[in-house]
Amino acid sequence: MDHEGLNIAWILVTAALVMTMQVGFCFLESGLVRAKNSINVAIKNMADFCVSASVFWLFGFALMFGAGETGWIGHSFFFVDAGTDYWLLAFFIFQLVFCGTATTIISGAVAERMRFSAYLIIAFFVSGLIYPIFGHWAWGGVVPGTNSGWLNAMGFRDFAGSTVVHSVGGWVAFAAILVIGARLGQFQKGRPNIQGHNLTLATAGTLILWFGWLGFNGGSTLALNEHVPLIITNTIVSGAFGGVAAMFVAYAYYRMPKTWAIMNGIIGGLVGITANCNVVSPSEAAIIGTISGLLCFGGIVLLERFKIDDAVGAVPAHAFCGVWGTLAVAIFGDLAVLDTGLSRGMQFWVQAAGVSVCAAWTFGISWIFFKMLNRFVPLRVTPEQEHAGLNVSEHGATTELVDLISEMDSQRREGSFTSRVHEEPHTEVGIIAAEYNRVLSRVEDEIRQRENVAEMARNAQGEAVRANQVKSDFLANMSHELRTPLGIITGYTELIQEEMRDAGQGTYDEELEAIANASQHLLHLINGVLDISKIESGRMEVHLEPIEVTDLIAGLAKTVQPLIRQGGNTLKTDCPPTVGILVSDEKKLQQCLLNLISNAAKFTHDGQIILTVSRCEANGKRPRILIKVKDTGIGMNDEQMENIFEAFTQADSSTTRRYGGTGLGLAITRSFVRLMGGDVTVASKPGEGSCFTLELPADLEPTEAPVPARQLELNTLSP
């Protein structure tokens, strides 16, 4: 093979390497979006290459590399057919894949919300106008026999396209995302940013891009010569240092190596070295790559801060790093190799002018075009289509996972889980569907069992309510029936005692006294049982009437004096006139106080019982009357106080044997107090006595008719 044939072969091989970058972009962009849009992104990558290749063959190559006297636009090589000029055909193929690269950069940035039809129009616009015209300005004159572009004539140098290819694609992408806006939910407060569905695929895409970049830069020599090894070395070194720099800055910023940061850092390093890989050393390539990686990471963070949604980080990686790489030509480039005749300072100004012209041309024209196009052809899909995903809404294409999620969502919306989702055999999604169906079956079994248990519980509750009602009715009726014969026994006993005293016969005095005491005790017990049964059956009523509290306490003190003296105790009362009037049930309140004082006298010997009354009107709470009965008796511990308000229960069995009692007094007291809208509490310590506190509402109104106890019981002492 002659030297020219070897060069043509090199151009074609490297063109094939550059074309593999389409695979890399497809993998990278598809992996960095959600699964519901991955097919759409992949199809856009394929379709835009078809459009750009067609347009570039029709007239794009002519505008970019055709002969042009002014240096502004070419006008030859339309419908490329070079005949036997094989080098020109190879060069056309090489530049065609470059055009495809510039166009496909846009698809990643606008992913997940741009219409497919609108994207094809943009691909046509970029590959047919934006890219070839600026390309003529910078690269015009490469084909023998044609004139140089005006930027090229000034000394502007961009060896493999940091600006011509990558910045062009990046600036167009920037204009597009500003016009169409962010993805739904991307910058919504309280929600994390949208994440890619397959970072493994995206990582593979990055590696393929890196591999293809060897042809991108190496083939730009247009010959297999001694410069190729240095160019490929610089390409690999810059990409590696870009990845390392982004990885470390991500560590510092996020406290972890973000996958997207490393991938974009590598791409940024590759973009940064593309313009200067032929005029810098490997050590300078490392510096360029490092700065590119940092610039790419900072650009992504900056766009997020301004809520500019670039789905894959295309703008920082290609536009920003493209600018840096082109400026680095003047900063690090070997002026002898550049051979522009400019000083380093002048070279920098020429490079700066070139990148500025690129930004103004590509971004300015694109933004105006997108704004106008959006009026006639909406660039963005509808919110409903965006929520559903562009795979389905744009192409009718689904995946097994999407189908499964759709079935599950349909069940959620309908609220019916009786049907089962489809199980695709021998696939991972099929396994998930099978497990989901098993979960549904288990849930149905659990619901059925819970319903059965609930039904049994309802039946048992009904039986318990009926049994409790029967018990209460029985106790109420029996207590009432027992009162009559017990009253006769008590009456006849008292009558016999009187007759025997009148006749001077005291033979059976003690026995008759025992009968009288036993009958009184039994009557007290029956009254307590009757009160408890009335409360439980809901037949107890409360009579609300004004009570002069001081008179009530004074009368009560006289009544209980025999009981107090019996144990050698003293009673002290403290009821100031400021307590005023209390609206409550006087009989029930009197019964409660009698029960508490009797209880205190029973467990106190040679001690003191203190009865105090006070009014409490704390801020934010209802006014209350506090009545305390305190004794210096035997007291109780915490365990003994747990059940003292339960019917037929005392502190422990030993007190029952020693002091007697039925355990109904405190139960009735608490029930009466609660029926009157209040509550009762106790505080006690062994050996120090006990203190019972009645707390009653002081803002009730008198009523003419009795109030149902259930109604008043709900009127608690809450604020």
Side-chain angles (χ1 to χ4, degrees), residues 94 130 132-133 247 274 331 371 423 607 638:
F94 190 71
I130 296 294
I133 288 180
M247 177 172 59
T274 296
I331 298 173
K371 278 289 188 179
E423 299 178 14
D638 293 339

Side-chain angles (χ1 to χ4, degrees), residues 563-564 567 569-571 592-611 628-635 659 666 689-692:
L563 181 64
I564 297 296
N569 299 310
T570 59
L571 175 65
C592 291
L593 295 177
L594 280 172
N595 289 343
L596 293 180
I597 294 174
S598 299
N599 195 67
K602 183 193 300 183
F603 296 103
T604 305
H605 294 280
D606 299 324
Q608 188 177 46
I609 299 172
I610 303 173
L611 174 62
K628 296 184 179 182
V629 178
K630 184 177 182 182
D631 63 63
T632 58
I634 61 174
Y659 297 99
L666 292 179
S690 304
C691 179
F692 288 83

Side-chain angles (χ1 to χ4, degrees), residues 367-528:
W367 189 84
I368 294 172
F369 175 73
F370 296 155
K371 278 289 188 179
M372 294 176 60
L373 178 64
N374 197 35
R375 294 187 176 184
F376 303 99
V377 180
L379 299 180
R380 185 163 185 155
V381 298
T382 64
E384 294 76 18
Q385 292 173 321
E386 189 171 342
H387 280 300
L390 274 61
N391 294 350
V392 176
S393 61
E394 288 277 273
H395 312 288
T398 64
T399 62
E400 294 176 25
L401 182 60
V402 171
D403 291 339
L404 174 61
I405 293 173
S406 298
E407 287 188 74
M408 294 166 67
D409 185 64
S410 176
Q411 289 182 334
R412 177 192 62 81
R413 286 184 282 103
E414 295 174 1
S416 174
F417 299 92
T418 55
S419 61
R420 296 293 181 264
V421 299
H422 173 67
E423 299 178 14
E424 188 69 26
H426 311 301
T427 64
E428 292 182 356
V429 176
I431 295 173
I432 295 173
E435 291 300 322
Y436 176 74
N437 287 336
R438 276 193 278 272
V439 170
L440 288 183
S441 298
R442 179 61 185 272
V443 170
E444 284 187 350
D445 291 341
E446 287 291 330
I447 292 175
R448 196 176 300 111
Q449 292 179 13
R450 289 171 184 262
E451 288 178 348
N452 292 337
V453 171
E455 182 64 25
M456 293 172 61
R458 285 192 293 269
N459 293 336
Q461 184 180 18
E463 292 295 329
V465 169
R466 285 190 291 272
N468 188 61
Q469 185 64 41
V470 170
K471 179 207 71 173
S472 298
D473 292 342
F474 172 76
L475 289 175
N477 293 331
M478 288 302 297
S479 298
H480 179 74
E481 293 297 327
L482 288 171
R483 274 180 159 180
T484 301
L486 186 58
I488 295 174
I489 294 173
T490 303
Y492 273 109
T493 301
E494 292 177 353
L495 181 60
I496 292 172
Q497 283 180 306
E498 290 179 4
E499 290 178 352
M500 292 186 70
R501 289 193 194 97
D502 293 341
Q505 300 175 358
T507 308
Y508 300 102
D509 242 5
E510 293 183 3
E511 288 81 355
L512 292 173
E513 186 67 28
I515 294 174
N517 291 338
S519 62
Q520 288 293 335
H521 179 75
L522 183 57
L523 182 60
H524 179 72
L525 174 60
I526 291 172
N527 287 335

